[in-house]
Amino acid sequence: MWSLVYLQGAGLAILAVLTMVIEKHAAMRGCQRNALPKWFDRSLRVLFLTLVLGPSVYHLDQYVTSVPFPLFSVLFALYLVPYSDLCEQRGGRKTLYARRWGVLNWLRRRFSLQLVKTEDLPADKSYIFGIHPHSVLPFGAMLALSDETETSQFTKLFPGINFRTLAATFCFYIPGYREALLWGGVVDAARYSARYILNNGYSLAVVPGGATEALYCHPDHDVVYISRRRGFVKLALETGASLVPIFSFNENNTYHLFGLESQWVDTLKTKFQRIFGISLPLMKNILPRKCEITVVVGRAIPVPHIEAPSDEEVEKYLDLYIAGLKDLYNSNKDKYNCKDKGELKVM
């Protein structure tokens, strides 16, 4: 038993060292311009999962199972194959089972989810859908856009548009959650992964504010963190994909959060986000609250195809995007917000 404790302690020590390296190089935040060598990327994932689950697998084989061979170790080794296949960097899974899961329909009903179209979007073009706000999780927009059931509002309003969604690299390190994301059409948020999607005829749904925007989640006002988010605009220019702002009204009202005005809670969440690239939700409720979420899809902003856009060109279209987002918010806030939240704050 003590050997298990020592093994777990050694694993945690190695993870602590890895955490410092990861924070310095942003290795789990989906922001690498070029892919890591595949052998290194796979090795990092195998090492991570082994350190996290290995001691528990060993314990199960030693003290729980009664079969004459290490059953759980064999199952663990078999799982490492799909776990480290890196398919999230090459378009993800082909079959998207999760988009038809009953639990997602239950959530759509719980949120009284409505999808509103501002204008038609031709299916023969590629789009980068910018989702706002991130909130704890961007439930509304993700549920509305990823619906492939017979009652899908997205399919009826925007027929023929196929898309993938981006998520932070670390999300694909978490067993179970990784599979749910892949079956839902979610892929790695790294630049090379996003470019692969657009170059293969798909559209892309992104949350430009990312986990940083989640730090500003508050039920009484809406904040978007976008003023310095030039990457998705540059990607649009490099591929010629039109930019489409989306705002999910009342998204920030799905959870009660701890420490909304606490400095030390803010510091803790910021540190966690810098390391792993995902937010640390300190929630009072496990299930999201019932509320009416309305997702409004704005007008497309045409973007020229420029292989190497200048900083000035990127800034120009970012300004156009922010203006389009503000117009979308101001035109709909009185109709769909559950209460007066004032003006949209752009950071």
Side-chain angles (χ1 to χ4, degrees):
M1 181 64 71
W2 283 108
S3 62
L4 179 63
V5 175
Y6 293 144
L7 184 61
Q8 188 81 62
L12 291 174
I14 296 173
L15 273 179
V17 175
L18 279 176
T19 295
M20 290 186 289
V21 175
I22 287 164
E23 179 181 6
K24 182 177 180 180
H25 297 284
M28 286 187 179
R29 293 167 55 194
C31 57
Q32 305 98 324
R33 295 181 181 274
N34 298 299
L36 294 169
K38 286 185 171 50
W39 69 267
F40 182 79
D41 204 343
R42 289 191 174 98
S43 298
L44 183 62
R45 291 160 192 261
V46 169
L47 177 62
F48 175 84
L49 194 65
T50 302
L51 291 174
V52 171
L53 295 184
S56 298
V57 171
Y58 174 81
H59 178 78
L60 289 170
D61 278 332
Q62 290 293 313
Y63 304 105
V64 177
T65 183
S66 59
V67 297
F69 63 92
L71 173 63
F72 290 98
S73 294
V74 171
L75 294 175
F76 178 77
L78 290 174
Y79 176 66
L80 285 175
V81 177
Y83 176 79
S84 59
D85 65 5
L86 306 181
C87 74
E88 66 272 14
Q89 299 175 4
R90 305 186 307 277
R93 302 281 189 238
K94 300 299 182 184
T95 306
L96 307 180
Y97 300 104
R99 289 187 175 182
R100 292 178 174 269
W101 281 353
V103 67
L104 300 186
N105 275 334
W106 175 79
L107 283 170
R108 293 181 186 109
R109 293 192 298 270
R110 187 172 181 82
F111 295 141
S112 302
L113 190 63
Q114 296 294 322
L115 183 66
V116 177
K117 177 176 70 172
T118 302
E119 67 175 13
D120 291 333
L121 298 178
D124 59 347
K125 295 182 179 180
S126 291
Y127 304 93
I128 295 180
F129 296 101
I131 295 171
H132 308 272
H134 184 288
S135 188
V136 173
L137 285 172
F139 278 118
M142 297 307 303
L143 289 169
L145 269 62
S146 64
D147 188 359
E148 291 190 357
T149 63
E150 294 179 356
T151 59
S152 170
Q153 299 178 63
F154 184 80
T155 302
K156 293 176 182 177
L157 295 176
F158 304 104
I161 295 180
N162 296 311
F163 73 96
R164 293 291 185 269
T165 307
L166 299 185
T169 304
F170 182 66
C171 294
F172 298 96
Y173 278 66
I174 305 172
Y177 187 45
R178 164 190 172 80
E179 280 66 40
L181 291 177
L182 289 171
W183 287 337
V186 183
V187 298
D188 196 305
R191 180 77 62 83
Y192 51 82
S193 171
R195 188 180 291 111
Y196 179 95
I197 294 296
L198 293 170
N199 289 340
N200 281 272
Y202 290 91
S203 291
L204 204 57
V206 304
V207 186
T212 303
E213 189 170 277
L215 299 175
Y216 301 97
C217 175
H218 198 288
D220 295 330
H221 50 256
D222 290 317
V223 177
V224 294
Y225 187 88
I226 194 173
S227 295
R228 292 186 289 175
R229 299 300 203 193
R230 298 172 177 83
F232 77 108
V233 177
K234 185 175 182 179
L235 180 64
L237 287 163
E238 290 172 344
T239 59
S242 297
L243 292 165
V244 182
I246 295 177
F247 200 89
S248 188
F249 290 89
N250 302 318
E251 190 77 69
N252 287 336
N253 297 90
T254 54
Y255 283 99
H256 292 292
L257 301 176
F258 287 105
L260 287 176
E261 310 300 334
S262 171
Q263 184 63 46
W264 74 266
V265 170
D266 288 343
T267 301
L268 174 64
K269 292 194 293 186
T270 300
K271 186 69 172 178
F272 187 90
Q273 184 270 330
R274 286 181 59 194
I275 294 171
F276 297 107
I278 58 177
S279 59
L280 178 63
L282 300 178
M283 306 172 295
K284 298 179 182 179
N285 52 309
I286 301 300
L287 285 177
R289 299 169 54 208
K290 284 186 177 181
C291 60
E292 295 185 0
I293 295 181
T294 303
V295 180
V296 184
V297 181
R299 293 181 173 83
I301 301 168
V303 175
H305 187 180
I306 305 173
E307 291 188 5
S310 65
D311 292 343
E312 291 76 15
E313 289 167 326
V314 172
E315 197 67 33
K316 171 186 174 181
Y317 283 94
L318 176 59
D319 290 342
L320 288 174
Y321 180 87
I322 293 174
L325 178 61
K326 286 182 176 178
D327 180 65
L328 174 68
Y329 184 84
N330 291 331
S331 299
N332 293 279
K333 63 178 182 178
D334 294 334
K335 288 186 286 185
Y336 301 124
N337 263 339
C338 62
K339 56 185 173 181
D340 184 10
K341 298 186 179 183
E343 297 297 317
L344 178 66
K345 184 176 180 181
V346 178
M347 298 183 67

